Amino acid sequence: MKTISGLLASFIHWLRRPERFIQKLQAVYPHCQTLPFHHQEEAAANQGVEVLETTFGPKIEGITTRDEGQVMIVLRRGLNPLNRQFVIAHELGHVHLHLPEMREPDTQLSLNRNDHRDIEADAFALVWLMGSLPKERLAPEVLLYVLNNRGMAWRAVRVICYVSWYHQRIRLANRLERALLGLQAKGTA
Amino acid sequence: MNNPEMNRDTPQVPHGFRTLVKRQMETVNLSLRTVASEAGISPAYLSRLLSGERGLPPDDTLILKLAEVLRVDPPERLLVEAKRVPDLLLPALLSAHEAVSRADLKEAMKQLQAVILNQRKKRGRR
């Protein structure tokens, strides 16, 4: 019984993740300074984030980390200028949404990759960058960006899926929560 | 400093160190003789170092000198390859949108560690 309740609670927690993400995004966004599209590095600096470059393999675009209280975004050297703006915005998403909840790992430098956090950082970047573009330049810039970046369409689809099931997920979470409460009430009775 | 992985007392030069030195010699197009001369060591010693017959001295001066001659960026990367620094305790989020192999990941971690050590040094200087 305890196991079922535990599993159900974990599932509800997972269902509610987009809700927590949107709450965080709403809390962070008004505090983010809106700067022109091509000034993302300045936006990072204004938030006390260092942007550095180094030689990473071709598949790795950037890494966000924290050392001695300093937050750093380390980018792959040689990113095209447009992609560079997007990667900084994506990494800023990690800085605001995910880094605060990451504790220092026990043993060594550990890299987390390819999970829901990436989708959330993409969503953050899209909101952040679109807010910084004048309307007349929005379509050409975004089109240029998508044409310049293989895999961007897939990333956009992932963001849309993540957000589009929002209401269904929350409705299901609410129902399951009621069921869980019922289960717990039966258990104690 | 008691990390058994660290190569301060052991004579064997780690494979990663030798590979990086050889790769950089090709990249910057410098001969063994030129590298040895600019680093202030004999070509014979450098040759034995790269073949694994000789070990590195206990202090880091030669490693950093070699990094400078070979334009390793950041120079601390050569210290990481020589296993002269302990693993850092850091949270890090990697952004990669294609499948990354274990080797790519290991390489990125070493490079990140070198960048962070370099930043720590710069912060210390300020």
Side-chain angles (χ1 to χ4, degrees), chain A:
Chain A
M1 186 71 148
K2 241 184 179 177
T3 329
I4 295 171
S5 302
L7 284 172
L8 203 54
S10 309
F11 183 57
I12 293 167
H13 188 74
W14 174 80
L15 283 173
R16 288 202 179 278
R17 186 166 174 104
E19 188 179 51
R20 293 193 298 277
F21 160 64
I22 285 172
Q23 279 166 0
K24 274 192 209 169
L25 194 62
Q26 281 170 339
V28 162
Y29 191 69
H31 303 290
C32 299
Q33 192 177 343
T34 305
L35 281 168
F37 186 86
H38 293 285
H39 291 71
Q40 296 311 312
E41 201 160 337
E42 207 180 317
N46 287 345
Q47 294 162 57
V49 179
E50 268 182 334
V51 179
L52 308 164
E53 279 189 337
T54 196
T55 321
F56 283 137
K59 291 172 186 169
I60 297 166
E61 292 180 330
I63 298 178
T64 296
T65 187
R66 185 179 57 221
D67 179 49
E68 297 177 333
Q70 176 65 53
V71 177
M72 283 170 273
I73 292 175
V74 187
L75 303 174
R76 188 180 78 222
R77 187 168 290 134
L79 288 173
N80 76 55
L82 203 57
N83 200 18
R84 190 181 151 82
Q85 303 303 316
F86 188 83
V87 177
I88 296 175
H90 173 98
E91 298 301 324
L92 279 175
H94 282 315
V95 170
H96 286 293
L97 303 168
H98 310 125
L99 211 54
E101 70 194 34
M102 282 181 80
R103 283 171 296 171
E104 308 289 330
D106 298 332
T107 50
Q108 59 165 8
L109 186 142
S110 71
L111 292 172
N112 290 279
R113 53 178 282 271
N114 249 357
D115 54 13
H116 48 261
R117 284 182 288 207
D118 245 1
I119 303 173
E120 292 175 354
D122 273 348
F124 179 94
L126 289 171
V127 172
W128 175 269
L129 290 175
M130 286 192 179
S132 72
L133 276 176
K135 272 182 194 141
E136 65 276 15
R137 282 184 60 202
L138 190 63
E141 290 276 4
V142 172
L143 185 67
L144 196 61
Y145 179 74
V146 172
L147 289 176
N148 264 298
N149 290 276
R150 205 157 45 98
M152 190 55 209
W154 168 239
R155 288 170 68 177
V157 168
R158 289 199 313 170
V159 172
I160 292 163
C161 290
Y162 186 70
V163 185
S164 63
W165 293 99
Y166 177 80
H167 292 295
Q168 286 86 339
R169 281 178 77 148
I170 302 305
R171 213 173 294 148
L172 183 59
N174 288 341
R175 273 189 204 155
L176 289 174
E177 251 166 17
R178 278 197 294 273
L180 183 63
L181 283 172
L183 266 176
Q184 284 167 344
K186 268 185 196 172
T188 48

Side-chain angles (χ1 to χ4, degrees), chain B residues 32-110:
Chain B
L32 186 128
R33 195 167 287 275
T34 316
V35 174
S37 152
E38 287 187 29
I41 52 173
S42 73
Y45 174 58
L46 181 57
S47 171
R48 288 195 191 118
L49 205 63
L50 296 183
S51 64
E53 290 167 51
R54 291 285 302 271
L56 283 160
D59 72 283
D60 300 336
T61 319
L62 174 63
I63 300 171
L64 290 170
K65 184 72 193 165
L66 279 170
E68 186 193 319
V69 172
L70 294 166
R71 283 177 252 156
V72 178
D73 182 32
E76 287 75 9
R77 177 61 196 267
L78 210 50
L79 288 178
V80 172
E81 292 294 356
K83 295 185 177 168
R84 288 294 175 95
V85 284
D87 283 334
L88 292 172
L89 303 174
L90 294 173
L93 282 153
L94 171 81
S95 297
H97 299 286
E98 285 178 71
V100 179
S101 67
R102 202 174 278 272
D104 288 340
L105 208 59
K106 209 173 159 187
E107 172 74 15
M109 284 177 84
K110 283 181 179 178

